[in-house]
Amino acid sequence: MIKATKVRIYPTPDQAEFLNRQFGAVRFAYNKALHIISSQYKRHGTKLKAKALQQACINLDKAFQSFFDPKLPARYPKFKRKHGKQSSYHCTSVSCGDDWIKIPKMGPIKARIHRQLEGNLTSITLSRTVTGEYYASLLHDDGVAAPVLIHDLDANQVLGLDMGLTHLAIDSSGNKTPNPRFLKKVSANLRRKQKSLFRCQKGSKGRAKARLKLAKAHQRLANARADFQHKLSRMIVDENQAVIVETLKVKNMLKNKKLSRHIADAGWSGLIQKLEYKAKEQGKHLIKIDRWFASSKTCSCCGHKLEALSLNVRDWQCPSCSTQHNRDINAALNIRAQGILKLKAAGLSVSANGGKRKTSHALAAA
């Protein structure tokens, strides 16, 4: 399998100056190619190939391919900002050790290698965050074949997940994970730092310091959300053989002005993305069901479908079988049932004779 490990690096002042010049050159190549292709597209409506240039322009070419692909909702490429995140790609003459990495034309850079790297190192992508921190993403081939997907599944280890706002994730076993609401907790601090930045004069040293403080606050917020999602997704994948989720169109949901802030804070797409690659790494399944499936207003017992169900109704009784439902748990059960049908349609075996599963908490206690 091809795996990537992101590590923190600590370049010396001279090395940092070299990297910043390199980031600037990469940004210039990308922006220049974008200017040329944009002019051609606006004047003649045609697309130019950018593969003759180096990696920055290869990335630009991929961005244009996504833009011209009707199946992908990609936006038109934008110019890279000097004060935004910077990166550069290196695939030749790269190496790493216990506490260093090496790229062409530069001596070893101090690094914190927090996990053992197995296999052959194929490339290193260096990056600099808005807060001035440097990172290196090490791509290596471990030489081990990717795990074969599990063919015979235990129905007791197939989990349906419904995403929400009050509770971030509700599973078909009735467990509810509260929404941490990271943005809400730090909104007052972000607002205060944003106002401080707005009051500073453009181009002043005070504005540069205020912008750095605001960027660090946003970075702490993003790190806290990512850490929570990594831990939650790891627990879910370790305890199940298949995870069933809805296909969410978050971009359309963000058009709701009343809920857009809360939806963005929940980070559903990030959680599903982490579930997907963690499941693939272990040979397990992540199934996405049709986004038009009415999971909330369909009875999980008899299949009766309500004509309408308001968002503020959290509990309802089925008029056909009189079963009392919790909206979210009922949706998770329906998502699980649809996922099992999809697994069986793919030729997989889903048996209900596996008995009750043991969670990782129980195993740890034992």
Side-chain angles (χ1 to χ4, degrees), residues 55-313:
Q55 186 64 35
C57 294
I58 293 176
N59 294 338
L60 177 61
D61 187 70
K62 291 179 180 178
F64 269 106
Q65 288 180 14
S66 300
F67 172 71
F68 285 103
D69 190 344
K71 298 180 181 180
L72 299 176
R75 298 183 300 179
Y76 192 85
K78 292 184 178 181
F79 288 101
K80 292 184 178 293
R81 298 171 59 249
K82 181 178 180 180
H83 299 292
K85 183 179 178 180
Q86 310 294 317
S87 65
S88 63
Y89 174 82
H90 308 271
C91 60
T92 59
S93 301
V94 294
S95 58
C96 66
D98 294 335
D99 58 355
W100 56 270
I101 65 166
K102 179 74 170 62
I103 62 171
K105 300 181 181 180
M106 185 184 292
I109 305 175
K110 181 182 177 182
R112 182 183 296 171
I113 310 295
H114 59 278
R115 65 179 61 181
Q116 184 177 1
L117 304 179
E118 299 177 355
N120 298 323
L121 180 66
T122 59
S123 68
I124 295 179
T125 301
L126 300 179
S127 61
R128 188 191 70 201
T129 65
V130 182
T131 60
E133 296 177 352
Y134 292 84
Y135 291 90
S137 179
L138 312 177
L139 192 68
H140 51 96
D141 187 349
D142 61 5
V144 180
V148 180
L149 289 175
I150 301 174
H151 188 273
D152 296 322
L153 294 98
D154 179 3
N156 294 313
Q157 295 191 33
V158 177
L159 191 73
L161 274 185
D162 179 50
M163 303 295 178
L165 293 178
T166 303
H167 294 91
L168 180 63
I170 304 93
D171 63 37
S172 52
S173 299
N175 301 315
K176 297 183 178 181
T177 303
N179 186 357
R181 299 185 184 274
F182 293 105
L183 180 59
K184 183 178 180 180
K185 293 178 181 177
V186 300
S187 59
N189 181 39
L190 291 176
R191 190 181 300 112
R192 183 171 60 253
K193 286 181 169 58
Q194 184 68 49
K195 288 182 178 180
S196 177
L197 174 64
F198 181 77
R199 288 193 292 264
C200 293
Q201 184 178 359
K202 291 186 177 181
S204 65
K205 292 183 178 180
R207 183 178 178 86
K209 292 180 181 179
R211 182 170 57 189
L212 182 59
K213 288 181 180 180
L214 179 62
K216 286 184 177 180
H218 278 288
Q219 182 171 293
R220 286 193 297 269
L221 168 63
N223 289 344
R225 183 186 292 115
D227 179 70
F228 174 81
Q229 291 180 350
H230 275 297
K231 292 175 180 176
L232 178 60
S233 59
R234 173 55 62 200
M235 182 184 69
I236 292 173
V237 171
D238 285 349
E239 295 183 352
N240 298 279
Q241 296 177 341
V243 181
I244 320 298
V245 297
E246 289 180 293
T247 301
L248 300 174
K249 287 291 182 180
V250 178
K251 184 177 179 180
N252 295 338
M253 295 179 180
L254 292 176
K255 296 178 181 179
N256 187 327
K257 295 182 179 180
K258 293 183 179 179
L259 298 177
S260 60
R261 185 182 181 91
H262 303 288
I263 292 172
D265 186 22
W268 296 329
S269 297
L271 177 59
I272 293 176
Q273 184 181 32
K274 292 175 179 62
L275 285 169
E276 188 169 14
Y277 86 78
K278 284 180 170 66
K280 185 177 180 181
E281 188 180 30
Q282 296 186 13
K284 298 181 179 180
H285 301 266
L286 180 92
I287 304 299
K288 298 179 181 179
I289 65 171
D290 185 7
R291 66 189 178 105
W292 299 114
F293 174 63
S295 59
S296 296
K297 56 184 181 180
T298 301
C299 177
S300 58
C301 295
C302 67
H304 177 80
K305 181 180 176 181
L306 299 177
E307 293 185 1
L309 185 64
S310 177
L311 189 61
N312 62 348
V313 177

Side-chain angles (χ1 to χ4, degrees), residues 321-362:
C321 65
S322 301
T323 304
Q324 190 71 24
H325 291 297
N326 174 274
R327 180 194 183 103
D328 298 326
I329 296 177
N330 176 69
L333 289 169
N334 285 324
I335 291 171
R336 177 181 179 272
Q338 283 294 114
I340 290 177
L341 290 177
K342 199 167 183 179
L343 287 168
K344 290 181 177 179
L348 302 176
S349 172
V350 183
S351 173
N353 300 323
K356 295 183 178 179
R357 60 190 176 96
K358 295 182 179 180
T359 65
S360 59
H361 303 292

